[in-house]
Amino acid sequence: MKIRQALWILCISLFVLSCSKSDDAVEVTAGVPSAYGAVNLTNDGFTANWTRVYRADKYLVDVATKADFSTLLPNYTALPVTALTLNVSGLTAGITYYYRVRAVRGESISVFSNAVAAEIISTGPEPTTALKSAANFNVGMIVRSNRLTGITSDIILREFDNITSEYEMKMDKMYPSKGTYDFTAVDKIVNYATDNKLNLHGHALIWHNSVPSWVTNFVGTNAEFEAMVKDYITTVVTRYKGKIKSWDVVNEAVDDGSGNPLRNSIFKQKMGDDYIKKCYQWARDADPACKLFYNDYNFASSATKRAAIFKIADDLKKDNLIDGLGAQMHISYKGPAASEIQAVVDGTVSRKLLMHFSELDIQANPDNDLTALTPERAISQKNKYKEVVKIFNAIPAANQYALTVWGMRDSESWLLSFWGHIDWPLMYNEDYSAKKAHTGFLEGLK
Ligand code: G3I
């Protein structure tokens, strides 16, 4: 009995001893802070900020010019800070800096936080290197027949070697009434391209959004409708044979709805699901040397739509009726992700087709949260241009058709009327000076 009592007393003593361990014996560790994105970007610095760590005495901040922190700035090497922010200054405009932070609690120092990049805004003029001089692929711009002179033309001829008609080579403009074509604008654009040795991409023969009213309200049988479409495609492609060397034969045939069926356009209704193949066959017959493209949007952002587009390409390829795919690339600084854009390229290249990033613009204000383009957002947009160009630049040369930007000055973008709010999606300011987006394009070529 006494032994049992002795054992009980021993157990209780050991328990009390373990609980009475002094704090010193308990290991003190410091939690790991998380670094937030840099704010208050200026042309010589920024504000770093991070999360609070429980019972931290201070924080140690590193700033470097390389993401691996192999080049720490002397004044910002494990700099002790008691606050949760630090104004970093004395930096060089145009350079990207990186910062990270550790927490200190007593003798304990945490591991490093995540690293954050901060690009210091260069407020001076952007580099004016001509895009086509720096690129190993065709760089495209859209044109309008009433804008082929003056500074717009100067910039086109200086920076671009590919052009696409923004709207004048569509059915509603070329074929305004039954049996009556109007090639006035197209002839101007074709002559401008020929005179200036520019590659002219034809956009777009068949598009549900550019159907003249007499076609929408077609009077006649479906067979007569089909004969009319065949005549229209044959007439237009034959007229510009050897001058327009590539065409978007059909544009945006895939619906955005669930399962991405074919859009129920008037062409589908009156000619059947195989209207697409018929149109490509007629274009091929009219000019066998012409490169035939299928063009669509949300090619990157929707995997299901991407699959539907590739199915159209596969069907056309069986009869050698397609040569390339156009990904419009109406995107924003927020997305789609590089991996989704790469998936478009990979599927196109694996099919041995030409890739055309055909209508690139990058919204800086998709959420309408800005009333002016801030330096931070200009840099985010610049980095998205850089990312897109980098992806296109890495495409095998044999599969690169062109990278076309859908407009010159921000104020000229279709997006402003489409979304009904201010945005700055393009590469040139109102005074035609280059934006950071233009610099991003150039950096994507390196
Ligand atoms: O310039 C004339 C003006 O002189 C005339 O008074 C006025 C009224 O008729 O029309 C003006 O032309 C308009 C033009 O935009 C310039 O504002 C055309 O009617 C109008 O049809 C045209 O809209 C174009 C739209 O496609 C439809 O063709 C946009 O510019 C063009 O950016 C847009 O581009 C499409 C791509 O082709 C396909 N992918 C989507 C993209 C955006 O919708």
Side-chain angles (χ1 to χ4, degrees):
M1 182 58 175
K2 285 192 177 176
I3 292 171
R4 183 176 294 178
Q5 282 170 337
L7 282 174
W8 261 111
I9 291 165
L10 179 61
C11 287
I12 289 166
S13 307
L14 284 173
F15 175 72
V16 168
L17 184 63
S18 69
C19 292
S20 65
K21 258 186 173 177
S22 71
D23 276 353
D24 297 344
V26 174
E27 189 190 354
V28 171
T29 60
V32 184
S34 293
Y36 293 126
V39 293
N40 306 328
L41 286 165
T42 64
N43 60 2
D44 82 337
F46 63 89
T47 300
N49 56 113
W50 51 88
T51 55
R52 174 185 303 282
V53 166
Y54 175 68
R55 296 185 66 176
D57 307 318
K58 58 185 174 183
Y59 301 87
L60 305 178
V61 184
D62 292 337
V63 179
T65 53
K66 287 187 178 175
D68 64 3
F69 290 87
S70 57
T71 52
L72 287 165
L73 300 189
N75 296 340
Y76 295 98
T77 302
L79 179 68
V81 175
T82 52
L84 295 177
T85 65
L86 172 67
N87 290 326
V88 181
S89 59
L91 306 182
T92 306
I95 289 183
T96 297
Y97 291 82
Y98 302 84
Y99 76 91
R100 64 185 182 186
V101 58
R102 287 173 288 172
V104 178
R105 181 184 170 193
E107 296 304 310
S108 168
I109 301 178
S110 77
V111 295
F112 292 110
S113 71
N114 55 305
V116 169
E119 183 173 342
I120 301 309
I121 301 160
S122 53
T123 50
E126 299 297 319
T128 54
T129 307
L131 301 178
K132 71 176 182 182
S133 310
N136 295 319
F137 53 80
N138 274 14
V139 186
M141 174 52 68
I142 53 173
V143 295
R144 297 182 184 184
S145 66
N146 63 356
R147 286 184 187 168
L148 298 176
T149 58
I151 192 167
T152 298
S153 177
D154 295 344
I155 293 174
I156 290 171
L157 300 183
R158 184 183 77 221
E159 304 252 15
F160 300 91
D161 39 26
N162 227 82
I163 57 173
T164 298
S165 165
E166 182 172 14
Y167 67 94
E168 292 164 301
M169 291 168 67
K170 295 169 185 170
M171 197 178 194
D172 61 340
K173 303 299 182 194
M174 288 193 300
Y175 204 6
S177 56
K178 189 167 186 175
T180 307
Y181 291 92
D182 180 357
F183 293 120
T184 311
V186 181
D187 288 348
K188 274 184 75 177
I189 293 170
V190 168
N191 293 337
Y192 179 80
T194 306
D195 296 348
N196 293 290
K197 298 182 176 52
L198 297 167
N199 186 56
L200 171 57
H201 178 66
H203 171 81
L205 290 170
I206 299 293
W207 183 31
H208 67 279
N209 262 353
S210 61
V211 177
S213 55
W214 70 272
V215 173
T216 304
N217 308 309
F218 186 76
V219 175
T221 64
N222 288 354
E224 288 165 335
F225 182 91
E226 181 166 319
M228 176 276 292
V229 173
K230 179 180 180 179
D231 176 66
Y232 155 71
I233 291 175
T234 305
T235 300
V236 173
V237 175
T238 303
R239 179 183 177 89
Y240 296 110
K241 193 171 182 176
K243 292 179 178 175
I244 299 177
K245 296 174 184 166
S246 58
W247 272 104
D248 290 335
V249 177
V250 173
N251 184 50
E252 302 177 15
V254 175
D255 194 277
D256 289 315
S258 59
N260 295 109
L262 289 183
R263 204 183 286 274
N264 192 30
S265 69
I266 189 161
F267 302 103
K268 179 177 183 290
Q269 291 167 31
K270 289 184 174 294
M271 295 167 63
D273 284 8
D274 61 345
Y275 84 91
I276 296 175
K277 186 158 281 189
K278 290 171 182 171
C279 291
Y280 281 82
Q281 188 62 66
W282 298 328
R284 184 68 93 207
D285 294 344
D287 181 0
C290 185
K291 299 294 184 194
L292 307 185
F293 281 77
Y294 174 80
N295 190 57
D296 215 327
Y297 64 90
N298 285 355
F299 199 160
S301 54
S302 165
T304 53
K305 188 166 186 179
R306 182 158 66 243
I309 292 168
F310 283 140
K311 185 177 181 306
I312 289 175
D314 293 338
D315 290 347
L316 289 170
K317 204 158 168 36
K318 286 174 196 161
D319 299 299
N320 184 33
L321 291 179
I322 188 168
D323 304 295
L325 286 171
Q328 292 183 8
M329 298 295 286
H330 294 299
I331 64 175
S332 91
Y333 78 96
K334 299 168 78 172
S339 58
E340 296 174 294
I341 301 169
Q342 190 62 51
V344 172
V345 169
D346 294 346
T348 302
V349 172
S350 66
R351 289 168 171 81
K352 298 182 174 45
L353 294 172
L354 290 167
M355 183 86 261
H356 186 196
F357 282 4
S358 57
E359 305 181 16
L360 180 65
D361 42 36
I362 302 183
Q363 293 179 68
N365 195 26
D367 304 323
N368 198 18
D369 59 327
L370 297 180
T371 54
L373 182 59
T374 60
E376 289 85 351
R377 194 64 58 81
I379 286 172
S380 297
Q381 181 191 48
K382 168 194 158 189
N383 291 336
K384 198 63 178 178
Y385 267 96
K386 179 178 178 178
E387 178 187 283
V388 171
V389 172
K390 207 171 184 67
I391 291 169
F392 192 88
N393 198 36
I395 294 172
N399 299 93
Q400 288 174 329
Y401 173 70
L403 196 170
T404 298
V405 182
W406 205 251
M408 188 173 288
R409 294 186 293 172
D410 288 329
S411 61
E412 296 164 347
S413 174
W414 71 284
L415 288 164
L416 275 58
S417 56
F418 184 77
W419 292 113
H421 64 244
I422 190 66
D423 207 324
W424 310 271
L426 300 171
M427 298 193 292
Y428 298 87
N429 292 305
E430 196 57 20
D431 64 359
Y432 295 95
S433 61
K435 293 166 56 187
K436 293 190 186 310
H438 185 277
T439 305
F441 195 114
L442 287 170
E443 290 180 359
L445 297 170
K446 288 173 185 164

XYZ file of all heavy atoms in Angstrom, residues 142 144 146-147 164-170 172-173 203-204 207 209-210 248 251-252 295-297 328 330 358-359 361 406-407 412-415 417-418, ligand 1:
368
model
N -4.404 47.816 -86.331
C -5.635 47.957 -87.125
C -5.634 49.313 -87.813
O -4.994 50.271 -87.367
C -6.900 47.815 -86.263
C -6.896 48.749 -85.059
C -7.105 46.373 -85.873
C -8.208 48.751 -84.300
N -8.115 52.194 -90.354
C -9.377 52.653 -90.931
C -9.001 53.458 -92.167
O -7.995 54.190 -92.162
C -10.145 53.547 -89.954
C -10.567 52.851 -88.667
C -11.358 53.793 -87.773
N -11.691 53.160 -86.497
C -12.451 53.735 -85.559
N -12.940 54.947 -85.763
N -12.719 53.109 -84.419
N -10.031 56.111 -93.330
C -9.961 57.579 -93.146
C -8.886 57.978 -92.143
O -8.862 59.092 -91.634
C -11.325 58.129 -92.690
C -11.740 57.563 -91.324
O -11.042 56.713 -90.761
N -12.867 58.029 -90.813
N -8.001 57.021 -91.831
C -6.898 57.331 -90.907
C -5.568 56.819 -91.477
O -4.743 56.265 -90.746
C -7.142 56.676 -89.552
C -8.222 57.344 -88.707
C -8.314 56.684 -87.353
N -9.433 57.169 -86.564
C -9.857 56.578 -85.445
N -9.247 55.469 -85.026
N -10.884 57.057 -84.765
N -4.564 45.221 -90.214
C -5.892 44.594 -90.303
C -6.921 45.713 -90.354
O -6.816 46.676 -89.588
C -6.161 43.730 -89.047
O -5.203 42.673 -88.970
C -7.563 43.119 -89.093
N -7.877 45.595 -91.246
C -8.958 46.573 -91.288
C -9.855 46.386 -90.072
O -10.330 45.268 -89.816
C -9.804 46.362 -92.559
O -11.027 47.056 -92.459
N -10.059 47.484 -89.327
C -10.837 47.346 -88.080
C -12.280 46.938 -88.371
O -12.875 46.166 -87.626
C -10.827 48.655 -87.299
C -11.569 48.546 -85.973
C -11.427 49.739 -85.070
O -10.977 50.818 -85.509
O -11.765 49.585 -83.862
N -12.866 47.525 -89.469
C -14.275 47.179 -89.724
C -14.682 47.250 -91.189
O -15.754 46.776 -91.561
C -15.184 48.106 -88.908
C -15.164 49.567 -89.338
C -16.100 50.065 -90.234
C -14.196 50.435 -88.861
C -16.078 51.389 -90.634
C -14.162 51.759 -89.264
C -15.095 52.249 -90.141
O -15.068 53.561 -90.547
N -13.853 47.792 -92.057
C -14.307 48.073 -93.429
C -14.198 46.899 -94.394
O -14.620 47.014 -95.544
C -13.561 49.298 -93.949
C -13.977 50.571 -93.207
C -13.019 51.729 -93.405
O -11.822 51.561 -93.054
O -13.449 52.784 -93.903
N -13.653 45.788 -93.916
C -13.583 44.603 -94.773
C -14.539 43.523 -94.273
O -14.261 42.323 -94.330
C -12.134 44.090 -94.827
C -11.219 45.047 -95.595
S -9.450 44.716 -95.440
C -9.317 43.164 -96.267
N -15.653 44.007 -93.738
C -16.703 43.088 -93.263
C -17.912 43.212 -94.176
O -18.083 44.206 -94.913
C -17.068 43.420 -91.814
C -15.913 43.186 -90.841
C -16.196 43.772 -89.464
C -14.985 43.640 -88.552
N -15.155 44.403 -87.289
N -21.035 43.856 -93.831
C -21.989 44.983 -93.743
C -21.443 46.240 -94.417
O -22.211 47.128 -94.800
C -22.372 45.275 -92.289
C -21.182 45.666 -91.421
O -20.034 45.350 -91.805
O -21.392 46.279 -90.369
N -20.152 46.321 -94.593
C -19.555 47.500 -95.245
C -19.232 47.227 -96.711
O -19.361 48.115 -97.549
C -18.270 47.926 -94.507
C -18.472 48.238 -93.029
C -19.435 49.397 -92.803
C -19.584 49.714 -91.317
N -20.723 50.593 -91.009
N -10.051 40.770 -92.634
C -10.907 40.491 -91.468
C -12.227 41.197 -91.696
O -12.227 42.438 -91.777
C -10.207 41.009 -90.203
C -11.043 40.994 -88.985
N -11.241 39.871 -88.235
C -11.758 41.980 -88.404
C -12.028 40.165 -87.221
N -12.353 41.428 -87.288
N -13.338 40.542 -91.748
C -13.589 39.108 -91.633
C -14.771 38.819 -92.553
O -15.746 39.555 -92.565
C -13.983 38.724 -90.204
N -19.201 36.987 -90.308
C -19.286 37.279 -88.872
C -20.731 37.644 -88.533
O -21.290 38.571 -89.154
C -18.348 38.405 -88.475
C -18.331 38.703 -86.991
C -18.541 37.828 -85.968
C -18.082 39.987 -86.385
N -18.433 38.484 -84.763
C -18.145 39.802 -84.976
C -17.797 41.245 -86.892
C -17.940 40.847 -84.085
C -17.583 42.290 -86.007
C -17.655 42.083 -84.604
N -21.937 39.398 -86.419
C -22.122 40.787 -85.954
C -21.933 41.831 -87.048
O -22.024 43.034 -86.782
C -21.093 41.098 -84.846
C -21.709 40.934 -83.461
O -22.921 40.727 -83.354
N -20.888 41.013 -82.429
N -21.636 41.378 -88.273
C -21.445 42.389 -89.335
C -22.204 41.947 -90.587
O -21.664 41.915 -91.685
C -19.957 42.566 -89.648
O -19.432 41.328 -90.112
N -9.563 36.030 -92.248
C -10.443 35.399 -91.259
C -11.708 35.057 -92.035
O -12.537 35.945 -92.286
C -10.778 36.367 -90.109
C -9.577 36.641 -89.214
O -8.674 35.778 -89.154
O -9.537 37.724 -88.605
N -15.555 34.269 -88.354
C -15.167 34.900 -87.085
C -16.230 34.590 -86.021
O -17.424 34.733 -86.268
C -15.087 36.415 -87.314
C -14.588 37.165 -86.090
O -13.556 36.800 -85.517
N -15.313 38.173 -85.670
N -15.782 34.075 -84.874
C -16.648 33.919 -83.688
C -17.859 33.011 -83.916
O -18.986 33.343 -83.549
C -17.099 35.296 -83.194
C -15.942 36.217 -82.842
C -16.377 37.615 -82.409
O -17.562 37.824 -82.106
O -15.514 38.509 -82.389
N -11.022 32.785 -86.436
C -10.706 33.797 -85.425
C -11.795 33.814 -84.353
O -12.987 33.741 -84.662
C -10.646 35.168 -86.134
C -10.085 36.273 -85.264
O -8.959 36.167 -84.763
N -10.851 37.336 -85.074
N -11.378 33.902 -83.070
C -12.413 33.947 -82.016
C -11.857 34.581 -80.749
O -10.644 34.766 -80.613
C -12.937 32.524 -81.725
C -14.426 32.520 -81.372
O -14.896 33.512 -80.759
O -15.128 31.548 -81.715
N -12.751 34.887 -79.808
C -12.348 35.498 -78.534
C -12.549 34.478 -77.406
O -13.141 33.438 -77.597
C -13.156 36.783 -78.268
C -14.645 36.577 -78.084
C -15.189 36.343 -76.824
C -15.497 36.594 -79.179
C -16.553 36.131 -76.659
C -16.872 36.383 -79.025
C -17.391 36.157 -77.768
O -18.745 35.944 -77.610
N -8.171 36.331 -80.402
C -8.345 37.785 -80.413
C -7.562 38.461 -79.276
O -6.958 39.512 -79.471
C -9.829 38.143 -80.311
C -10.603 37.737 -81.553
C -12.054 38.142 -81.521
O -12.474 38.858 -80.623
N -12.840 37.684 -82.487
N -8.611 39.902 -76.376
C -9.204 41.060 -75.671
C -9.178 40.701 -74.196
O -10.078 40.028 -73.680
C -10.631 41.318 -76.146
C -10.726 41.754 -77.575
N -10.133 42.905 -78.037
C -11.316 41.176 -78.647
C -10.376 43.044 -79.336
N -11.078 42.009 -79.737
N -4.671 38.161 -82.654
C -5.226 38.994 -83.728
C -5.822 40.333 -83.307
O -6.004 41.220 -84.138
C -6.307 38.184 -84.436
O -7.293 37.770 -83.489
N -6.147 40.509 -81.990
C -6.856 41.743 -81.602
C -6.461 42.174 -80.186
O -7.272 42.571 -79.381
C -8.369 41.532 -81.695
C -8.850 41.045 -83.041
C -10.346 40.852 -83.134
O -11.071 41.371 -82.261
O -10.811 40.192 -84.071
N -5.781 43.787 -76.886
C -5.861 44.989 -76.067
C -5.944 44.506 -74.618
O -6.441 43.404 -74.362
C -7.025 45.929 -76.434
C -8.331 45.196 -76.721
O -8.603 44.181 -76.043
O -9.071 45.625 -77.617
N -5.136 45.850 -81.148
C -6.434 46.332 -81.653
C -6.664 47.814 -81.340
O -7.552 48.213 -80.601
C -7.570 45.470 -81.093
C -8.799 45.482 -81.976
C -9.995 46.085 -81.701
C -8.950 44.877 -83.257
N -10.877 45.885 -82.737
C -10.267 45.162 -83.714
C -8.116 44.131 -84.100
C -10.760 44.717 -84.950
C -8.601 43.680 -85.317
C -9.889 43.968 -85.740
N -5.771 48.627 -81.918
C -5.925 50.079 -81.765
C -4.628 50.738 -81.380
O -3.703 50.088 -80.877
N -9.056 55.658 -78.749
C -9.648 55.134 -79.993
C -10.158 53.711 -79.829
O -10.669 53.110 -80.774
C -8.591 55.193 -81.105
C -8.148 56.605 -81.451
C -6.851 56.654 -82.251
O -6.142 55.615 -82.335
O -6.539 57.729 -82.793
N -9.996 53.145 -78.639
C -10.367 51.739 -78.451
C -11.876 51.519 -78.448
O -12.623 52.274 -77.819
C -9.795 51.216 -77.130
O -10.280 49.900 -76.877
N -12.274 50.440 -79.096
C -13.695 50.034 -79.125
C -14.215 49.753 -77.725
O -15.396 49.841 -77.437
C -13.853 48.789 -79.987
C -13.277 47.556 -79.337
C -11.948 47.238 -79.227
C -13.986 46.516 -78.662
N -11.796 46.069 -78.546
C -13.023 45.592 -78.188
C -15.332 46.258 -78.431
C -13.370 44.446 -77.481
C -15.680 45.117 -77.706
C -14.710 44.231 -77.248
N -13.268 49.431 -76.812
C -13.657 49.011 -75.462
C -14.386 50.125 -74.707
O -15.244 49.863 -73.863
C -12.415 48.576 -74.682
C -11.797 47.248 -75.098
C -10.380 47.114 -74.554
C -12.664 46.077 -74.628
N -16.536 52.364 -75.705
C -17.997 52.395 -75.939
C -18.618 51.050 -75.574
O -19.742 50.980 -75.077
C -18.282 52.704 -77.408
O -17.633 51.753 -78.243
N -17.870 49.987 -75.741
C -18.423 48.654 -75.454
C -18.751 48.513 -73.971
O -19.837 48.080 -73.603
C -17.418 47.571 -75.865
C -17.933 46.163 -75.709
C -18.814 45.626 -76.640
C -17.576 45.404 -74.596
C -19.295 44.332 -76.506
C -18.060 44.107 -74.443
C -18.920 43.573 -75.401
O -16.475 55.623 -88.816
C -17.869 55.479 -89.119
C -18.556 56.822 -89.076
O -18.029 57.633 -90.123
C -20.048 56.614 -89.257
O -20.700 57.862 -89.136
C -20.546 55.655 -88.179
C -22.025 55.380 -88.288
O -22.246 54.486 -89.352
O -19.879 54.388 -88.319
C -18.493 54.553 -88.097
O -17.910 53.291 -88.275
C -18.120 52.397 -87.189
C -16.737 51.952 -86.701
O -16.856 50.923 -85.716
C -15.922 53.091 -86.140
O -16.561 53.561 -84.976
C -18.877 51.198 -87.744
O -20.178 51.588 -88.094
C -18.911 50.098 -86.693
O -19.495 48.921 -87.259
C -17.494 49.763 -86.263
O -17.528 48.794 -85.213
C -16.443 47.872 -85.263
C -16.987 46.500 -84.850
O -15.932 45.528 -84.786
C -18.024 46.017 -85.828
O -17.449 45.870 -87.103
C -15.350 48.322 -84.305
O -14.735 49.495 -84.786
C -14.301 47.223 -84.178
O -13.331 47.554 -83.194
C -14.947 45.886 -83.806
O -13.932 44.906 -83.812
C -14.381 43.575 -83.490
C -13.610 42.598 -84.370
O -13.880 42.895 -85.713
C -13.973 41.167 -84.020
N -13.697 40.902 -82.607
C -14.409 41.815 -81.706
C -14.044 43.260 -82.021
C -14.752 44.205 -81.074
O -16.134 44.129 -81.296
